[in-house]
Amino acid sequence: MSTATRPNPDALLATVSAADARAGRGRLKIFFGAAAGVGKTYAMLEEARKRATEGVDVLIGYAEPHIRPDTEALLLGLDLLPYKMVAYKGATLKEFDLDAALARKPALICVDELAHTNAPGLRHPKRYQDILELLDAGISVYTTLNVQHLESAADIVEHISGITVRETLPDWVVEQADEVQLIDLPPEKLIERMAEGRIYKQHDVDRLTKGFFNKGNLSALRELALRRTAERVDAQMATFQKAQGATVSWPASDRLLVCVGPSPFAGRLVRAARRMAASIKAEWFAVYVETPAAATLSAEARDRVTAALRLAESLGGKAVTLTGTRPASELIAYARTHNVARIITGKPDRPRWRELFRHGLVDDLIRQSGRIEILVVREETSAPHSPARGRAAGAFSRARYLAAASVVAATSLLGALIYHASGAGVHFSNANVLMLDLVGVLLVALRLGRGPAVLASALAVLAFDFTVVPPYFSFAVSDAQYLLTFAVMFATAVVISTLTDRLQQRTEIARRRERRTAALLELTRDLASIQDKTPLLEGAVQHIAGVFECHAAVLLPMASGDLGTAVRAGNLFLEDDKELSVARWAFEHNQNAGATTDTLPAAAGLYVPLRGPAGVLGVLAVVGPTLTAFADPDRLHLLEAFANATAIALHRAQLADTARHAWERVEAEFIRNTLLSGVSHDLRTPLAAITGSVSTLLESGDALPAATRRELLQATADEAGHMDRLITNLLDITRLESGAVAIKPEPYAIDELVGAAVARLRTRLAGRPLHTAFPPDLPFISADGPLIEQVFLNLLENALQYTPPGSPIDIVARRTSDSHGERVEIIFGDRGPGLPADDPDRVFQKFYRSPASATHRGVGLGLAICRQLVNLHQGTISAANRADGGAAFTINLPAAKTPRLADPGPKGPA
């Protein structure tokens, strides 16, 4: 097999990888039509019946017969999946039962209406997601789809019919289909079927045929469906062509390619291509090949290239810039890759003698085109069309040529001196002088360009003849062999100068690309290290502003739907309604707009959409004195690359936010499960004890001794109290986290609140030494009495639960102060096992229970409630281990500015 016909290894690898990815996955076939009633469901069921007769396990998952007898007849004898009945807003909806289909797992299932929106409460919001799950399960699917339900066609359908399509699906779903079968029906036939009542009920026919289903709309939808099907077939052909390694174009379509260059004729050529493409309704490309010589183009010539490419985009073509050293080869390769049938190029109006020395683009295209048609349009324009070159024009200056002549004179003089001064055993041949002359030509080519280098080559030959070839100092040639030497010398010098000049051009192009790549790499590296959206955008605009020497800003959509400035670099303020409208246009149309573009060019700024994987995320705005430089395609492409990198980083940050929110939901679910688990356990235990005690009293109460009855009643009361405290804690934490708790601070004495908490636990505190120390001058605290009493109560209960029976509890209060004023510090100490040494404050987390609490009841909310209640009072609470054993909880609360006038209650225990 020759190299020309050998398949592309990369294409084969991609094909194999795609096949591996689809291994074990079901096949998807879509019956595609222009509108309802063309026969999609009928064709799907007919194909399903055929497969069933072949022995395939076929299941009808969901079918819309639309009360059509011929369609219903096709369902007879097939295995039908019952509908899933869903109640919604007082109605009962019939939906596809995905779970039942997965459980049944047929070889092939028919599911009608691919773009259908499922009823709320089902696993997936859209039916196409159900079908994707079926395919992943290895089940093949037949389904139906109308063209108006494609996301990319929704706006076109709205423009045609004036009706907004609400149910759409992404185009990539159809692109993943293994087969798309077009079900076509002429509009006249469809209207006739509708008039017969075979599509909708008879009383709706007149309204529908005057509205959506008129002949004009149906014809437009039919053309749209045919085009979408043709595009899919063309894409499949291109995929097959790449896999087979085809090296020639398969002109199954009428794509056009127009060659764009720096000629003033380029605009007329683009318009001619547009007219030709419109006449045959073909896709077309405007392609410019950037060669090493492009670096020497003048600003005027580069502007003409930019204008031609933008004109092509504005006329509906696709503008493409390629790079290479041979324009014809690059154009032909691109045409073959994209199955272009015709290439349109201009015929340069230049002298015939120039073509004798160098083939033009037209000749090279014709020579390499193969089956591709080459259409040559003569350039009929009076404007000069040769590409003016900035450096070439300068090369024709007198100074450059004089410098080239001076270099040749110097090297020739040095060579003559060496040659004629040879002696004393040292002899320099004329070959040495020749090498010296070539070095001079090389220096001229490196420094002065190709034109002066060609002149230097000619002058070097003449100087060599004049100084080295006998008769000396004469242009006469005594030996004819030197004529060949002169020819070879001149040709060698010209080749050296040409290659050197071309190498410099390529070096300059590589240098420019390296600068662009380095700038983009630096931006990408900086953005990769930032996770939060705002710092990320700030870093991006700062980088863009520095590289392009302009002011930059990023505009993002707000909750209201308008665009707003998220971050800015420099003195860029986009509060002007006109500028915001330009930015909004760029955002909505996903196209560049503003200055240096063909869309709203009078704007003060240039607006580039931030294109993310899921759509346009925002707009990058640049303003400044260097804005006109973005007319250069290279600079504009670099800005677009920066915008794309920023969009990808922004999309990543948004995904990180989504992941963080998802984790928060997971954490909330974990807390909920922990709460339910703890509550169910802590409620079940006291309920069981209460139930046992009460049932014992009911059954044997009179026969039990009085002490036993009292013991059972006390156990019932204790367990009921435990349940009451548990439910109170749950209610308290819920009220605190919802913000429903509002404090009413008043002056309170510490001993008074401690005494109230102790009184509520007097029974459980029996047998416990309680040591208190309250100084006489202790100020009142500013607090909501019942809430702080609850804090003290929870701390006492915590000490009772986690310390050995009979161990003491210490309560100490003292006066302190800080920058906020006078404070009161209350310390609750115990003699228990203490707190975790690594992080004592962990005990204030919700649902935290220490390892020592495995034998104790509770869900770990008491201390969490304490912290939230103390925080409400502008206080602090902390936990630490005591030096002599046990734990200490320190509460710091603000002191009241004025004491109460009356003593509200009894003091605490002594």
Side-chain angles (χ1 to χ4, degrees):
M1 181 181 294
S2 65
T3 304
T5 59
R6 186 180 296 117
N8 188 325
D10 293 334
L12 288 177
L13 180 59
T15 303
V16 172
S17 300
D20 290 341
R22 298 186 64 85
R25 194 170 185 265
R27 294 180 59 82
L28 175 62
K29 181 174 182 178
I30 299 176
F31 293 83
F32 188 59
V38 297
K40 302 181 300 300
T41 303
Y42 187 92
M44 177 184 71
L45 296 178
E46 194 173 40
E47 180 74 13
R49 291 187 69 87
K50 185 184 300 183
R51 296 296 305 278
T53 58
E54 296 171 357
V56 177
D57 182 13
V58 177
L59 174 66
I60 306 301
Y62 185 90
E64 284 285 357
H66 300 290
I67 320 178
R68 301 168 191 161
D70 50 352
T71 305
E72 290 181 334
L74 291 174
L75 295 172
L76 298 177
L78 293 176
D79 192 2
L80 303 180
L81 186 71
Y83 292 119
K84 186 179 183 69
M85 312 307 291
V86 180
Y88 179 66
K89 292 185 177 181
T92 302
L93 305 179
K94 297 179 180 179
E95 294 290 348
F96 169 59
D97 194 339
L98 174 61
D99 292 324
L102 291 171
R104 169 71 167 72
K105 198 169 184 180
L108 172 65
I109 187 170
C110 296
V111 184
D112 213 353
E113 298 183 356
L114 177 62
H116 174 74
T117 300
N118 290 332
L122 297 184
R123 179 150 74 245
H124 299 302
K126 302 288 290 187
R127 181 166 292 168
Y128 76 82
Q129 295 171 312
D130 295 341
I131 289 178
L132 292 177
E133 187 169 343
L134 291 171
L135 296 173
D136 291 336
I139 303 173
S140 296
V141 179
Y142 283 175
T143 187
T144 62
L145 178 69
N146 288 333
V147 68
Q148 69 263 27
H149 296 301
L150 286 175
E151 182 65 42
S152 62
D155 56 341
I156 302 176
V157 174
E158 183 177 0
H159 179 73
I160 292 172
S161 63
I163 296 176
T164 301
V165 180
R166 302 297 180 187
E167 284 189 333
T168 60
L169 81 164
D171 289 46
W172 59 262
V173 178
V174 180
E175 293 169 2
Q176 287 189 357
D178 298 277
E179 184 179 353
V180 176
Q181 180 175 334
L182 178 66
I183 309 300
D184 187 36
L185 195 66
E188 295 82 4
K189 184 67 175 178
L190 185 57
I191 294 174
E192 179 183 335
R193 293 185 63 188
M194 184 172 293
E196 295 172 355
R198 299 171 61 186
I199 301 177
Y200 293 107
K201 295 180 179 180
Q202 193 68 41
H203 59 77
D204 293 331
V205 170
D206 292 339
R207 176 178 57 84
L208 291 171
T209 53
K210 292 179 181 178
F212 185 81
F213 286 90
N214 61 65
K215 185 175 181 180
N217 288 350
L218 294 177
S219 298
L221 291 173
R222 185 189 188 197
E223 180 181 358
L224 192 60
L226 291 170
R227 284 188 175 276
R228 288 293 187 271
T229 307
E231 289 172 1
R232 174 177 171 79
V233 173
D234 188 73
Q236 290 176 330
M237 183 183 70
T239 302
F240 179 77
Q241 182 183 3
K242 290 179 181 178
Q244 296 299 314
T247 58
V248 297
S249 175
W250 295 354
S253 62
D254 286 329
R255 289 193 181 95
L256 303 180
L257 185 151
V258 57
C259 306
V260 173
S263 168
F265 182 66
R268 296 183 62 238
L269 202 61
V270 168
R271 294 186 185 93
R274 168 66 178 85
R275 290 192 297 270
M276 187 177 298
S279 64
I280 60 176
K281 296 184 178 179
E283 184 181 5
W284 62 289
F285 308 89
V287 181
Y288 167 63
V289 180
E290 185 180 39
T291 63
T296 65
L297 288 177
S298 66
E300 181 183 359
R302 296 179 69 84
D303 289 343
R304 287 198 292 267
V305 173
T306 303
L309 293 175
R310 288 182 177 172
L311 176 63
E313 288 183 339
S314 66
L315 295 177
K318 182 178 181 181
V320 179
T321 300
L322 306 176
T323 57
T325 58
R326 298 180 179 179
S329 299
E330 298 295 334
L331 290 168
I332 293 297
Y334 186 86
R336 286 174 176 165
T337 302
H338 293 79
N339 282 326
V340 171
R342 298 180 182 88
I343 295 178
I344 304 172
T345 184
K347 175 62 173 70
D349 187 11
R350 61 184 182 182
R352 180 67 179 173
W353 63 267
R354 292 183 60 183
E355 299 181 4
L356 298 177
F357 298 96
R358 182 178 180 181
H359 290 295
L361 176 64
V362 175
D363 296 328
D364 291 340
L365 286 174
I366 293 174
R367 187 178 301 107
Q368 303 178 34
S369 60
R371 297 179 182 179
I372 302 175
E373 298 178 10
I374 307 297
L375 305 180
V376 182
V377 181
R378 182 176 176 82
E379 298 184 3
E380 297 178 355
T381 175
S382 58
H385 54 269
S386 59
R389 299 187 179 186
R391 194 178 73 179
F396 280 99
S397 66
R398 184 176 301 176
R400 288 178 178 269
Y401 281 88
L402 288 176
S406 300
V407 171
V408 174
T411 55
S412 298
L413 179 60
L414 179 60
L417 290 175
I418 293 175
Y419 182 77
H420 291 289
S422 299
V426 179
H427 175 72
F428 292 93
S429 67
N430 54 13
N432 300 115
V433 178
L434 177 60
M435 293 299 102
L436 191 59
D437 289 337
L438 290 179
V439 170
V441 172
L442 180 61
L443 291 174
V444 172
L446 284 172
R447 297 293 182 182
L448 303 177
R450 184 180 179 185
V454 173
L455 174 62
S457 302
L459 293 178
V461 171
L462 294 176
F464 182 80
D465 178 25
F466 187 76
T467 59
V468 176
V469 177
Y472 302 122
F473 309 112
S474 170
F475 290 108
V477 180
S478 60
D479 192 343
Q481 67 176 345
Y482 281 108
L483 296 177
L484 179 60
T485 302
F486 297 156
V488 173
M489 178 181 176
F490 180 74
T492 303
V494 170
V495 169
I496 289 176
S497 62
T498 301
L499 292 178
T500 303
D501 182 68
R502 185 174 298 174
L503 178 62
Q504 281 191 303
Q505 294 174 5
R506 293 183 179 179
T507 302
E508 180 61 27
I509 292 177
R511 188 178 294 111
R512 294 206 312 269
R513 289 180 179 173
E514 188 275 334
R515 286 196 296 265
R516 293 198 300 263
T517 303
L520 185 59
L521 178 62
E522 184 179 357
L523 172 67
T524 305
R525 184 174 59 248
D526 292 344
L527 296 183
S529 61
I530 305 175
Q531 298 296 329
D532 295 334
K533 182 172 69 174
T534 300
L536 184 148
L537 294 177
E538 289 175 349
V541 297
Q542 292 289 350
H543 199 92
I544 292 171
V547 171
F548 295 101
E549 299 178 352
C550 62
H551 307 302
V554 170
L555 293 85
L556 299 179
M558 300 183 297
S560 61
D562 295 331
L563 289 178
T565 304
V567 294
R568 61 167 59 92
N571 299 321
L572 176 55
F573 297 95
L574 298 173
E575 307 301 334
D576 184 81
D577 290 340
K578 293 182 179 179
E579 294 297 315
L580 288 176
S581 65
V582 179
R584 191 177 303 110
W585 189 95
F587 178 80
E588 293 174 351
H589 293 82
N590 193 14
Q591 296 181 20
N592 298 347
T596 73
T597 71
D598 293 331
T599 303
L600 306 170
L606 171 61
Y607 301 91
V608 179
L610 299 176
R611 303 177 180 93
V616 181
L617 304 178
V619 175
L620 170 65
V622 291
V623 174
T626 61
L627 198 60
T628 55
F630 289 109
D632 182 359
D634 286 345
R635 194 171 179 84
L636 180 60
H637 291 163
L638 179 59
L639 179 65
E640 291 176 339
F642 276 45
N644 291 337
T646 304
I648 292 173
L650 177 60
H651 181 67
R652 173 175 51 80
Q654 292 177 343
L655 290 179
D657 287 341
T658 303
R660 184 163 52 251
H661 295 324
W663 173 250
E664 291 173 355
R665 289 194 296 270
V666 170
E667 188 176 8
E669 183 69 14
F670 168 75
I671 292 174
R672 186 183 72 86
N673 292 337
T674 303
L675 176 62
L676 290 176
S677 176
V679 168
S680 62
H681 177 270
D682 274 35
L683 287 178
R684 187 182 301 113
T685 301
L687 279 175
I690 293 172
T691 303
S693 299
V694 172
S695 61
T696 300
L697 289 171
L698 289 175
E699 293 173 0
S700 308
D702 295 338
L704 294 174
T708 303
R709 288 200 303 272
R710 180 175 179 79
E711 184 178 336
L712 290 174
L713 289 173
Q714 185 63 47
T716 301
D718 291 343
E719 295 298 337
H722 175 75
M723 289 180 59
D724 178 69
R725 289 190 297 275
L726 174 63
I727 294 172
T728 299
N729 282 342
L730 291 174
L731 294 175
D732 287 345
I733 198 69
T734 302
R735 291 168 58 234
L736 287 168
E737 292 194 340
S738 66
V741 178
I743 66 172
K744 299 177 180 179
E746 294 181 7
Y748 277 92
I750 291 296
D751 55 354
E752 169 190 332
L753 297 176
V754 170
V758 169
R760 291 173 61 181
L761 296 174
R762 187 173 300 277
T763 302
R764 297 180 61 192
L765 285 170
R768 289 265 191 170
L770 185 64
H771 304 147
T772 61
F774 303 138
D777 62 342
L778 189 67
F780 283 16
I781 61 171
S782 177
D784 188 316
L787 297 183
I788 294 300
E789 181 184 326
Q790 181 67 38
V791 172
F792 295 164
L793 182 68
N794 286 358
L795 290 174
L796 289 171
E797 284 190 325
N798 184 77
L800 288 171
Q801 185 169 356
Y802 293 105
T803 59
S807 61
I809 298 176
D810 304 325
I811 306 176
V812 178
R814 62 188 178 191
R815 180 198 302 262
T816 63
S817 63
D818 58 19
S819 58
H820 297 287
E822 195 173 25
R823 316 277 293 184
V824 175
E825 191 173 81
I826 310 101
I827 303 173
F828 283 72
D830 61 45
R831 298 295 177 179
L835 302 172
D838 55 341
D839 187 9
D841 274 356
R842 195 189 311 167
V843 296
F844 295 108
Q845 296 177 2
K846 289 183 299 184
F847 309 113
Y848 175 79
R849 301 180 69 195
S850 69
S853 64
T855 59
H856 300 285
R857 292 183 295 176
V859 293
L861 289 177
L863 295 180
I865 292 173
C866 289
R867 168 160 284 184
Q868 296 211 31
L869 289 175
V870 171
N871 290 341
L872 282 176
H873 287 80
Q874 306 300 313
T876 61
I877 182 172
S878 60
N881 287 314
R882 303 176 71 177
D884 52 351
F889 295 88
T890 303
I891 304 171
N892 192 291
L893 294 171
K897 295 182 180 180
T898 57
R900 289 181 299 177
L901 298 178
D903 189 354
K907 301 296 183 181

